[in-house]
Amino acid sequence: MVTEPVFRELFTYQYTPVSLSRHEGDGGFKISLYGNNTIVYTEFDTRQGLMDRKVFAIHSSVVTEYMTMLSCEDWRLSKLPLYVPKRTRPGYQAVFGLSGHPLFTVDDVDEAARLPFNNPKGHIARNLLVMMESLAQMLVKDGLYMTPHSFQWDQRVTCPLPESGLAAM
């Protein structure tokens, strides 16, 4: 298994609304997994300016499990196209960053994933969502909950690191 530098994003997911009428005031968010056992959650305003940033510590086993899963899927991911467009104007774009691969962008990934099984766009969207869902399942033990449209945490289990700890990142 290839080891990654500590501060390199091993996984990143960015949700960006395209049609602001559907998501008023929402500029989207980004979730990034780092090799130093942290998850960074960033919220954006409608102009993609930084609104908020929170860093969470996670179990080291999450990074190990994720990298093992990614190495098993490398061959499949290398065959996927980088952009899955929608015929009409999308409501949002989902951008997936998986270590060692270029960024994948899918318009309205939920809708694309519901396309028939013989549709290549549906197949691509489902593959990327499975990777995200697998990581989401790993994060539950740390009290972190991730979906294509949201990121939340259980305050009884975890809380963001103090601001003083963010300066080192």
Side-chain angles (χ1 to χ4, degrees):
M1 179 168 67
V2 177
T3 58
E4 295 291 332
V6 171
F7 292 110
R8 183 171 175 190
E9 291 177 332
L10 303 177
F11 171 87
T12 187
Y13 173 77
Q14 185 161 346
Y15 169 88
T16 306
V18 175
S19 174
L20 293 178
S21 61
R22 282 180 54 186
H23 308 278
E24 287 189 30
D26 182 11
F29 64 90
K30 180 178 179 181
I31 303 163
S32 300
L33 170 68
Y34 290 91
N36 65 345
N37 305 323
T38 58
I39 285 276
V40 177
Y41 169 67
T42 309
E43 282 184 89
F44 301 101
D45 64 21
T46 55
R47 293 192 172 114
Q48 288 299 292
L50 178 69
M51 274 183 31
D52 196 13
R53 181 172 174 240
K54 302 207 181 306
V55 179
F56 298 87
I58 58 171
H59 288 92
S60 60
S61 63
V62 171
V63 172
T64 304
E65 288 175 47
Y66 170 75
M67 292 305 293
T68 301
M69 175 186 65
L70 184 61
S71 67
C72 293
E73 295 296 324
D74 274 342
W75 65 272
R76 183 191 326 250
L77 294 169
S78 67
K79 304 210 181 306
L80 298 180
L82 301 181
Y83 180 52
V84 179
K86 185 178 176 186
R87 287 187 181 185
T88 59
R89 182 171 171 81
Y92 70 97
Q93 282 192 324
V95 177
F96 297 82
L98 308 166
S99 183
H101 296 276
L103 295 175
F104 299 97
T105 303
V106 182
D107 291 345
D108 292 330
V109 70
D110 290 341
E111 190 175 312
R114 289 190 301 267
L115 291 170
F117 274 27
N118 63 347
N119 186 305
K121 290 181 181 182
H123 177 74
I124 296 160
R126 285 186 293 277
N127 274 291
L128 293 169
L129 283 175
V130 163
M131 295 291 292
M132 182 180 191
E133 183 179 10
S134 295
L135 177 58
Q137 289 173 348
M138 294 175 208
L139 292 172
V140 168
K141 64 183 164 196
D142 289 303
L144 302 172
Y145 306 96
M146 174 174 66
T147 74
H149 300 280
S150 68
F151 180 82
Q152 299 173 341
W153 58 95
D154 184 342
Q155 294 179 4
R156 296 169 297 171
V157 178
T158 191
C159 60
L161 296 174
E163 289 294 323
S164 60
L166 297 180
M169 304 226 27

